[in-house]
Amino acid sequence: MISTLTRTWSAIIFDLDGTITDSAPAITNALARTFTVLGRPVPADAELLAYVGPPLLAAFREYAGMTPEEAAEAVAVYRADDQGKHLLDTAIFPGVAGLLERIHAAKIPMAVATSKTQHNAIAVLEHFDLAQYFTAIVGSTDTETRSSKADVVAEALERLAAAGADLSQPVMVGDRRYDAEGAAAHGVPAILVEWGYGSPSEAAEATATVYSADTLGKMLLG
């Protein structure tokens, strides 16, 4: 892994939770309510934070030890809660909105590839007036037919290509190893941000890491 890159990127794909938005409180609170509805012990806050970022089906199986059927039920309960009034209990990380505006002004096409459901991702980005900057906003489907990060990134790349974007030098920006792995499945390098929800060990999966929006801007725009 290297900490800096010098490259002209032709397209940029952003993760949402932990990269653009500080949404952990809303997500962990919804998870706590989900475990309560399911009649399961509610994990500690630090344990719930691990669920922020990865596909939910995988997270419930990996972290809660659920069977595929139990995980599917948990996702359904979570989705019903997540679409409610708590969806917008979130904030934009410092400097990120300005960076998105600058990238858009530089005419570099951008997409969002998130494990959040697509309609919720659109709702959040529209609420903060950020949807205008993205050529495509791609999330998981309600039925989890598109759930893995690799599948979400694939759809984002397809929509960028359909819009005429140059995909000769794409890059993924995220905060968890799932972002790096999902991008790597398509030969796309990944930059992980340190202000998100990933652990230091996850940085090993990235092409580079950054500690601030200013540093990210220099890496993306030169």
Side-chain angles (χ1 to χ4, degrees):
M1 185 192 71
I2 55 178
S3 59
T4 59
L5 286 177
T6 302
R7 188 175 299 180
T8 300
W9 304 110
S10 64
I12 304 170
I13 302 173
F14 280 88
D15 172 50
L16 183 58
D17 297 315
T19 303
I20 296 175
T21 55
D22 185 4
S23 50
I27 293 173
T28 56
N29 287 337
L31 285 165
R33 291 189 292 270
T34 296
F35 279 98
T36 299
V37 170
L38 294 172
R40 290 173 172 260
V42 178
D45 290 346
E47 295 175 45
L48 288 175
L49 196 60
Y51 290 75
V52 184
L56 274 179
L57 274 176
F60 280 122
R61 295 187 65 183
E62 179 176 352
Y63 302 127
M66 294 184 181
T67 66
E69 294 76 17
E70 291 170 337
E73 179 187 6
V75 168
V77 172
Y78 175 88
R79 295 294 190 214
D81 183 284
D82 186 46
Q83 295 178 45
K85 62 182 180 180
H86 305 286
L87 174 64
L88 299 178
D89 291 344
T90 187
I92 305 300
F93 284 108
V96 172
L99 174 57
L100 294 176
E101 183 178 8
R102 287 164 52 206
I103 295 171
H104 184 261
K107 301 187 183 304
I108 302 173
M110 293 183 287
V112 166
T114 174
S115 295
K116 189 185 289 295
T117 57
Q118 183 167 298
H119 57 84
N120 279 357
I122 292 171
V124 169
L125 290 166
E126 287 182 342
H127 174 74
F128 290 105
D129 199 28
L130 298 178
Q132 60 178 311
Y133 299 132
F134 295 99
T135 300
I137 300 171
V138 182
S140 65
T141 56
D142 288 331
T143 58
E144 299 296 317
T145 52
R146 184 173 65 234
S147 176
S148 75
K149 202 58 184 256
D151 288 346
V152 176
V153 171
E155 181 67 18
L157 289 168
E158 288 182 14
R159 294 191 196 180
L160 284 169
D166 176 3
L167 296 182
S168 61
Q169 292 284 359
V171 66
M172 174 85 196
V173 180
D175 69 313
R176 300 293 309 272
R177 65 178 174 85
Y178 307 95
D179 301 314
E181 292 169 352
H186 305 284
V188 176
I191 299 169
L192 294 190
V193 302
E194 295 180 2
W195 59 76
Y197 310 129
S199 64
S201 64
E202 295 182 52
E205 305 290 337
T207 305
T209 59
V210 295
Y211 61 88
S212 70
D214 285 343
T215 306
L216 179 60
K218 292 174 183 176
M219 194 171 291
L220 296 177
L221 292 170

